[in-house]
C-alpha cells in the first residue's frame, strides 16, 4: 500500500515536472541568475530612440557586431535568418538585436540596409560610444578597434556571444556563433513554451 | 553531324565542364556574399592543388573592385577578429578552403553597382606567377553557401 502511494506520488511529480522549466534540458549555456535583465537606451535603424521596454513581450537574441564585417557577422546573421525560417510564425514572437560596436561608421541608415539584407526580424541598434559601452559591459562583452589599415578602414574585434532573453527581459541563455542552429532553435522553442 | 563537328563539340563540352584550371591548380565554386551600401564584401572559393608541390595563393585582383585583400577570421577565447594574410598555402594533392568563418577575400570599393544574381571577375595569382581568372556568382547577403 505504501509502495503504491509512493509510485503514484512519483508519477504525479513526473507529470507536473516533465514539461515544466525545472526539468528542461537546455542545449545552450544557462545564464539565468548570473546576468542582469535587458536594459539599454540606443537608437534603432530607423533613427528612433529605443530602450529595453520596447522589446518586452518578445524573446530577444542579442548579438554584437558591425557592418564593415563581411565574413563572421554575415555568417551569424545568416544562421539567425535560417533560425527565423525554421521558427515560421513563431519568429514574430522573437527579435534579433544587432548592436553595433562601431558607432563611428554605423549610422542608422547603413545598419538598416545591412540588417534588412538578412531578415525582417532583425533590428540594428547604434548609439553614442558610452551607450554601447554600457550595454556591452552589462553582459561582459569585449570589443576593440584595430589599427587603421591602408585605405583608411579598420577592423573591430568583438565577442561572438548571442544572449537570449525571455519575454520578460530576463537573461536566460548564452549561445556562441559556433552552436548549431538546431540547438538554438530547440532552446528558443523551450523559452517560448512551445517545445514539442 | 560530321566527325569533325562531333570532335569539336566533345572538346567544347570538356572545356566548359572543367573548372578554371592551370597546371595542377584549380579554383572551384567561387562565390561572393553581397552586402548593401558599398560595404566590403567577402569572396569564397576552394583552391585545389593536384600537383606534387605546395602552391601558394599570393593575391587576388578584380576589375570590379578597387581593392581585394586576403583575410582570415580567427576566434580566440570567444573573440572574433579578422587579420590580413599575405598568402594562403595549398598543400600538394590537397585543398585550401576560402569559406565563411575562415580564409576569405575582402572585396572593397566596388567600381560599379553590384547586385545579387550578377557575376564578378576574380583573378587568383599564385606564388609561381600563374593566374586563374574565374567568374564568381554574387549571392544574397543571407545565402547559406
Ligand atoms: Cu575580412
Amino acid at each position: 500500500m505504501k509502495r503504491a502511494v509512493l509510485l503514484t506520488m512519483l508519477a504525479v511529480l513526473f507529470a507536473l515536472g516533465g514539461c515544466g522549466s525545472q526539468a528542461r534540458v537546455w542545449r545552450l549555456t544557462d545564464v539565468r541568475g548570473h546576468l542582469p535583465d535587458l536594459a539599454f537606451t540606443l537608437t534603432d535603424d530607423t533613427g528612433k530612440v529605443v530602450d529595453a521596454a520596447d522589446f518586452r513581450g518578445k524573446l530577444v537574441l542579442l548579438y554584437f557586431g558591425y557592418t564593415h564585417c563581411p565574413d563572421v557577422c554575415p555568417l551569424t546573421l545568416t544562421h539567425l535568418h535560417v533560425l527565423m525560417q525554421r521558427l515560421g510564425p513563431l519568429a514574430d514572437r522573437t527579435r534579433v538585436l544587432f548592436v553595433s560596436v562601431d558607432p563611428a561608421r554605423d549610422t542608422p541608415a547603413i545598419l538598416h540596409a545591412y540588417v534588412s539584407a538578412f531578415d525582417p526580424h532583425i533590428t540594428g541598434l547604434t548609439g553614442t560610444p558610452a551607450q554601447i559601452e554600457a550595454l556591452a559591459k552589462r553582459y561582459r562583452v569585449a570589443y576593440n578597434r584595430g589599427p587603421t589599415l591602408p585605405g583608411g578602414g579598420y577592423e573591430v574585434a568583438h565577442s561572438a556571444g548571442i544572449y537570449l532573453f525571455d519575454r520578460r527581459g530576463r537573461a536566460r541563455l548564452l549561445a556562441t556563433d559556433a552552436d548549431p542552429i538546431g540547438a538554438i532553435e530547440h532552446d528558443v522553442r523551450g523559452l517560448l513554451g512551445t517545445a514539442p | 553531324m560530321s566527325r569533325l563537328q562531333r570532335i569539336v563539340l566533345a572538346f567544347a563540352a570538356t572545356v566548359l565542364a572543367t573548372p578554371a584550371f592551370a597546371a595542377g591548380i584549380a579554383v572551384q565554386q567561387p562565390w561572393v556574399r553581397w552586402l548593401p551600401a558599398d560595404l566590403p564584401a567577402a569572396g569564397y572559393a576552394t583552391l585545389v592543388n593536384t600537383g606534387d608541390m605546395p602552391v601558394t595563393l599570393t593575391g587576388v585582383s578584380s576589375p570590379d573592385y578597387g581593392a581585394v585583400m586576403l583575410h582570415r577570421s580567427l576566434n580566440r577565447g570567444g573573440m572574433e577578429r579578422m587579420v590580413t594574410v599575405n598568402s594562403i598555402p595549398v598543400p600538394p594533392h590537397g585543398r585550401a578552403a576560402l569559406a565563411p568563418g575562415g580564409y576569405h577575400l575582402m572585396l572593397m570599393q566596388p567600381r560599379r553597382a553590384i547586385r545579387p544574381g550578377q557575376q564578378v571577375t576574380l583573378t587568383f595569382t599564385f606564388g609561381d606567377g600563374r593566374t586563374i581568372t574565374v567568374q564568381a556568382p554574387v549571392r544574397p547577403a543571407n545565402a547559406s553557401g
Side-chain angles (χ1 to χ4, degrees), chain A residues 76-90:
Chain A
T76 302
L77 293 178
T78 296
H79 283 166
L80 293 173
H81 164 64
V82 173
L83 170 71
M84 293 300 145
Q85 285 189 316
R86 287 196 195 182
L87 289 173
L90 283 179

Side-chain angles (χ1 to χ4, degrees), chain A residues 20-104:
Chain A
S21 56
Q22 300 301 36
R24 188 175 304 288
V25 177
W26 301 108
R27 296 205 192 153
L28 307 173
T29 305
D30 192 343
V31 295
R32 189 174 189 173
H34 296 281
L35 289 172
D37 293 354
L38 189 61
F40 61 81
T41 302
L42 291 166
T43 301
D44 76 8
D45 59 81
T46 67
K48 200 176 96 187
V49 175
V50 291
D51 61 32
D54 291 309
F55 299 95
R56 287 284 138 75
K58 304 256 186 204
L59 185 156
V60 166
L61 298 111
L62 177 73
Y63 175 64
F64 294 79
Y66 64 111
T67 68
H68 284 68
C69 169
D71 184 46
V72 166
C73 301
L75 182 59
T76 302
L77 293 178
T78 296
H79 283 166
L80 293 173
H81 164 64
V82 173
L83 170 71
M84 293 300 145
Q85 285 189 316
R86 287 196 195 182
L87 289 173
L90 283 179
D92 290 339
R93 297 201 213 162
T94 74
R95 199 75 209 165
V96 175
L97 301 183
F98 179 75
V99 180
S100 172
V101 291
D102 184 17

Side-chain angles (χ1 to χ4, degrees), chain A residues 70-71 78 118 155 157-158 160 177, chain B residues 44 73 78 80 82 101 106 142:
Chain A
D71 184 46
T78 296
F118 291 94
E155 310 308 334
H158 58 95
D177 56 2
Chain B
Y44 305 106
S73 296
E80 290 287 356
M82 246 189 340
M106 182 90 153
N142 58 11

